[in-house]
């Protein structure tokens, strides 16, 4: 098997495939350690996947978080990570600079082969059947061809492989943008993910408004912090000024925290966040899409690492199940079910997220949400569960039952025909 991209999705896929006894080649265009634009925060969903990989989350380099600290207009509240089966009751923070490298080493320890500095340029197509039969890549200035029975495209939001095959992002699904900067500063928080809601952006006419999104301050250890801001929208013509949003966040933070240019250790950098299963189909003959390439990002929170790892595990399970079948037709039948498995796992929740974003994209509703709804202590645990997708479907707790009911009654994000779909 070939896995393209050694981020959380690709590394998790490679690990589980190797554990199942498959021959796995993991291709990464960069050379580790390398940076990625990210908030670096890991929810209990992501921690669960790390534990399944056997990663020592008590070792050096990890910051353990107890929950969220949310700052809004005139209020602040702390909400611990709730004890929700089957997730642990803590989160983690670790910079992507070495987080991905740790996952890559975990995959290679399981038996995957890693080639760094290998830029995949196109899929390799089987002329007779039109099936993906491998990839073409540049390594050390030399063009190489790698063949495999299946290719996993874990090559990020822009996904060169998906675009080459005509699989474009859907414009009716949420798209986010996030910017972040690192600081070395004397802020004392080292056990919460801190969020700021109600940030101000400016529209094309110069008017200020509250977009759907939030700012964050996440501790990454040794007195360093990841500080950033992000928004989500569905109307692709929306042009939020994310530098203004980031500056608004910095202006709200206490001056004593010294999140200023003098204490910055990186430039402000941004990245897109394709969400809500916004590229489909997630399987075409010979290739599966996972992680950001498939748009497997939570449209309410912007979380991507946990869903990348979960979809990586699901991808590996699908491939293993398919390869155990005795005929090509039966193997293809299993692979063709992969998009349905993704929709079953995330479709209803992502639909809830899309509908919420549509509503909260109206400035008055967003202001009502940040000013009045989030300030109510009785609603805060439910909001954390909903935004983090952490309800317990088997719980008798009223909050869990309401959130589970919302997800179950929502449509499952069924695909529609689009150019390039096969």
């Amino acid at each position: 098997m070939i896995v393209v991209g050694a981020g959380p999705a690709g590394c998790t896929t490679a690990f589980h495939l190797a554990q199942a006894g498959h021959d796995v080649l993991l291709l990464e265009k960069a050379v580790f350690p390398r940076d990625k634009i990210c908030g670096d925060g890991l929810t209990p969903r992501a921690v669960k996947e790390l534990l399944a990989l056997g990663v020592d989350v008590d070792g050096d380099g990890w910051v353990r978080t107890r929950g969220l600290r949310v700052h809004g207009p005139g209020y602040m509240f702390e909400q611990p990570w709730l004890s929700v089966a089957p997730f642990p009751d803590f989160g983690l923070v670790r910079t992507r600079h070495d987080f991905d490298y740790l996952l890559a080493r975990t995959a290679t320890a399981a038996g995957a082969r890693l080639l760094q500095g290998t830029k995949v340029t196109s899929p390799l197509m089987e002329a007779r059947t039109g099936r993906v039969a491998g990839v073409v890549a540049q390594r050390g200035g030399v063009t190489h061809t790698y063949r495999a029975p299946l290719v996993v495209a874990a090559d990020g939001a822009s996904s060169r492989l998906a675009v080459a095959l005509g699989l474009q992002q859907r414009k009716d699904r949420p798209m986010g943008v996030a910017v972040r900067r690192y600081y070395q500063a004397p802020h004392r928080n080292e056990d919460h993910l801190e969020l700021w809601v109600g940030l101000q952006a400016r529209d094309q006419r110069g008017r200020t408004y509250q977009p759907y999104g939030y700012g964050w301050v996440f501790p990454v250890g040794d007195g360093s912090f990841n500080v950033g801001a992000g928004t989500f929208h569905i109307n692709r013509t929306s042009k939020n000024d994310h530098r203004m949003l980031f500056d608004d966040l910095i202006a709200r933070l206490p001056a004593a925290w010294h999140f200023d240019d003098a204490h910055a250790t990186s430039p402000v950098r941004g990245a897109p966040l394709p969400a809500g299963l916004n590229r489909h189909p997630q399987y075409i003959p010979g290739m599966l899409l996972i992680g950001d390439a498939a748009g497997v990002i939570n449209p309410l929170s912007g979380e991507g690492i946990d869903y990348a790892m979960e979809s990586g595990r699901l991808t590996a399970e699908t491939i293993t199940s398919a390869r155990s079948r005795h005929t090509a037709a039966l193997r293809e039948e299993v692979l063709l079910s992969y998009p349905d498995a993704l929709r079953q796992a995330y479709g209803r929740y992502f639909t809830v997220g899309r509908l919420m974003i549509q509503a909260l994209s109206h400035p008055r509703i967003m202001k009502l949400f940040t000013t009045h709804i989030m300030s109510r202590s009785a609603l805060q645990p439910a909001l954390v569960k909903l935004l983090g997708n952490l309800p317990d479907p088997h719980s008798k707790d009223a909050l869990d039952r309401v959130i589970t009911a919302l997800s179950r009654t929502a449509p499952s994000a069924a695909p529609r025909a689009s150019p390039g779909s096969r």
Side-chain angles (χ1 to χ4, degrees):
M1 309 299 162
I2 293 174
V3 179
V4 180
C11 290
T12 303
T13 304
F15 172 89
H16 288 294
L17 286 174
Q19 282 268 292
H22 300 286
D23 181 21
V24 184
L25 179 61
L26 179 60
L27 304 178
E28 167 59 36
K29 66 180 179 180
V31 176
F32 289 113
R34 54 101 170 101
D35 192 23
K36 283 287 185 180
I37 310 302
C38 185
D40 300 331
L42 305 173
T43 70
R45 292 186 76 99
V47 177
K48 175 179 178 290
E49 297 302 317
L50 285 171
L51 296 175
L53 298 181
V55 174
D56 178 12
V57 299
D58 295 314
D60 294 337
W62 299 101
V63 175
R64 183 174 293 214
T65 61
R66 296 190 292 124
L68 300 177
R69 182 178 294 131
V70 180
H71 304 258
Y75 62 87
M76 185 275 288
F77 68 88
E78 291 185 0
Q79 180 61 53
W81 296 119
L82 303 169
S83 296
V84 178
F87 307 110
D89 61 354
F90 64 95
L92 296 167
V93 185
R94 187 166 187 147
T95 68
R96 294 289 297 277
H97 183 262
D98 68 350
F99 177 75
D100 290 13
Y101 192 21
L102 181 150
L103 293 184
R105 295 197 303 271
T106 302
T108 57
R113 292 174 292 131
L114 171 66
L115 287 184
Q116 303 180 55
T118 305
K119 182 179 180 180
V120 172
T121 57
S122 64
L124 178 67
M125 307 302 295
E126 189 177 84
R128 183 176 60 85
T129 64
R131 185 182 183 88
V132 176
V135 297
V136 179
Q138 290 285 328
R139 186 166 187 262
V142 178
T143 299
H144 295 267
T145 297
Y146 301 99
R147 294 181 175 273
L150 289 169
V151 173
V152 177
D155 51 344
S158 59
S159 187
R160 183 184 294 265
L161 286 173
V163 171
L165 294 170
L167 304 179
Q168 303 294 333
Q169 294 174 341
R170 288 179 55 164
K171 297 185 182 302
D172 63 337
R173 295 294 166 87
M175 173 62 76
V177 176
V179 297
R180 66 98 167 103
R181 193 178 200 183
Y182 288 108
Y183 295 86
Q184 184 79 26
H187 182 30
R188 296 293 183 182
N189 168 49
E190 289 195 352
D191 60 2
H192 281 77
L193 300 182
E194 295 199 81
L195 307 180
W196 270 258
V197 298
L199 299 181
Q200 301 288 325
R202 192 180 302 276
D203 65 18
Q204 294 176 331
R205 296 182 180 180
R207 299 171 299 187
T208 59
Y209 68 100
Q210 289 186 20
Y212 177 76
Y214 61 88
W216 69 80
V217 175
F218 294 169
V220 296
D222 298 325
S224 294
F225 294 86
N226 181 317
V227 182
T231 66
F232 271 99
H233 57 272
I234 294 177
N235 178 6
R236 295 299 179 91
T237 62
S238 175
K239 298 293 183 182
N240 293 324
D241 186 338
H242 288 86
R243 184 55 197 252
M244 178 185 176
L245 199 72
F246 181 83
D247 291 343
D248 184 44
L249 169 65
I250 295 299
R252 293 169 186 246
L253 303 179
W257 291 2
H258 295 298
F259 291 133
D260 51 37
D261 288 346
H263 292 82
T265 58
S266 79
V268 178
R269 298 182 63 195
L273 301 171
L277 294 174
N278 78 340
R279 187 181 267 124
H280 77 89
Q282 293 86 24
Y283 174 72
I284 62 172
M287 189 177 82
L288 302 91
L289 302 181
I290 65 170
D292 290 7
V296 188
I297 290 179
N298 184 335
L300 290 177
S301 68
E303 299 165 80
I305 293 177
D306 37 11
Y307 299 94
M309 298 179 72
E310 288 176 359
S311 67
R313 173 170 48 81
L314 176 61
T315 301
E317 290 170 354
T318 301
I319 291 173
T320 298
S321 176
R323 299 296 291 175
S324 70
R325 300 304 194 265
H326 298 301
T327 68
L330 290 175
R331 288 193 289 271
E332 195 65 16
E333 182 179 341
V334 174
L335 294 169
L336 287 168
S337 72
Y338 173 68
D340 287 333
L342 282 178
R343 285 193 295 275
Q344 183 176 354
Y346 304 121
R348 296 184 187 279
Y349 175 78
F350 285 174
T351 297
V352 170
R354 185 171 73 253
L355 295 175
M356 286 188 64
I357 291 174
Q358 285 177 333
L360 294 172
S361 293
H362 297 279
R364 290 183 179 179
I365 298 178
M366 183 63 190
K367 186 174 181 180
L368 176 67
F369 180 75
T370 59
T371 304
H372 298 290
I373 296 177
M374 292 197 73
S375 65
R376 297 180 179 272
S377 59
L379 297 177
Q380 288 159 1
L383 289 171
V384 170
K385 285 189 175 186
L386 179 60
L387 296 177
N389 194 12
L390 292 169
D392 182 353
H394 305 294
S395 171
K396 295 182 179 180
D397 181 82
L399 297 177
D400 288 301
R401 293 165 73 177
V402 169
I403 296 170
T404 301
L406 280 173
S407 296
R408 285 177 175 170
T409 56
S412 61
R416 74 175 185 193
S418 64
S421 297
R422 300 188 180 190

